[in-house]
Amino acid sequence: MEFLIEILANLLLLFGIYLVRWCAVHKDTTKAILVVAVMIVDVIFIIKHFW
């Protein structure tokens, strides 16, 4: 189970990095900040509920 959770967390991290880079390329700072905030909340949720 922990292995699947780590895979999910890594995929979400990669997707979040992709979104932040996309926002930076398109000069959309507000969305980049929101994506980073959602990534932080997601990591806290995963740590709290699955570890």
Side-chain angles (χ1 to χ4, degrees), residues 39-50:
M39 286 172 56
I40 292 170
V41 169
D42 186 44
V43 167
I44 291 171
F45 175 80
I46 287 173
I47 289 172
K48 209 172 206 185
H49 289 282
F50 295 109

Side-chain angles (χ1 to χ4, degrees), residues 8-38:
L8 176 66
N10 287 329
L11 287 175
L12 289 172
L13 177 66
L14 288 175
F15 184 65
I17 291 171
Y18 169 76
L19 282 177
V20 169
R21 291 190 64 185
W22 182 86
C23 291
V25 167
H26 293 285
K27 310 265 192 290
D28 200 351
T29 309
T30 306
K31 286 183 186 172
I33 293 170
L34 289 174
V35 168
V36 170
V38 168

